[in-house]
Amino acid sequence: MDIGVDVKPPKKKCNDRNCPFHGHLKVRGQILEGKVVSDKMKNTVVVLREYYHYLRKFERYEKRRSRIFAHAPSCLDIKVGDRVRIMQCRPISKAKSFVVIEKLEEKQ
């Protein structure tokens, strides 16, 4: 199934209606990468994203991090420690506006 982004579709099938590959969820907007730090919620993972922010006053960068809640379709088998690519979608709940679209590498 083509979701409009160049990613490999998962090999497994799922019955999740919020899966961009097998359900009816449309993806749009930002594409971010990060590391999964928690998978204790049902169908949800917490993705830690580390990035640099430029401070014009001091002419240098500072390291920042953010935790993003993302919907995890069951067809991707995502666990803690995996690097994933997430993409923005319509709000699924109060805190979730992102969905995992690709698993980049396994935890080693």
Side-chain angles (χ1 to χ4, degrees):
M1 172 99 191
D2 185 33
I3 62 170
V5 183
D6 189 26
V7 295
K8 291 182 279 185
K11 293 176 175 61
K12 281 179 56 179
K13 292 281 277 180
C14 69
N15 296 342
D16 190 357
R17 64 188 183 116
N18 287 325
C19 176
F21 300 100
H22 306 114
H24 301 291
L25 188 70
K26 304 275 192 277
V27 290
R28 78 271 170 105
Q30 295 181 332
I31 300 175
L32 306 172
E33 291 181 10
K35 181 179 170 187
V36 176
V37 292
S38 175
D39 62 352
K40 294 180 181 179
M41 291 177 278
K42 183 179 178 187
N43 297 331
T44 305
V45 292
V46 180
V47 178
L48 183 70
R49 183 175 159 257
E50 294 182 338
Y51 58 97
Y52 290 102
H53 176 74
Y54 184 70
L55 298 174
R56 207 172 63 195
K57 178 179 178 181
F58 301 110
E59 297 180 357
R60 54 193 69 178
Y61 291 89
E62 71 177 0
K63 195 185 272 190
R64 291 189 177 182
R65 55 176 45 185
S66 64
R67 293 164 53 98
I68 301 169
F69 295 104
H71 181 74
S74 59
C75 57
L76 290 174
D77 291 329
I78 298 162
K79 298 175 191 65
V80 174
D82 292 343
R83 292 208 46 89
V84 294
R85 182 172 287 137
I86 60 176
M87 190 166 182
Q88 194 174 5
C89 62
R90 66 169 175 78
I92 298 173
S93 68
K94 180 181 175 181
K96 284 197 296 187
S97 292
F98 283 86
V99 63
V100 178
I101 57 170
E102 186 177 25
K103 184 174 7 177
L104 299 175
E105 60 187 47
E106 300 264 341
K107 180 176 104 175
Q108 297 176 6

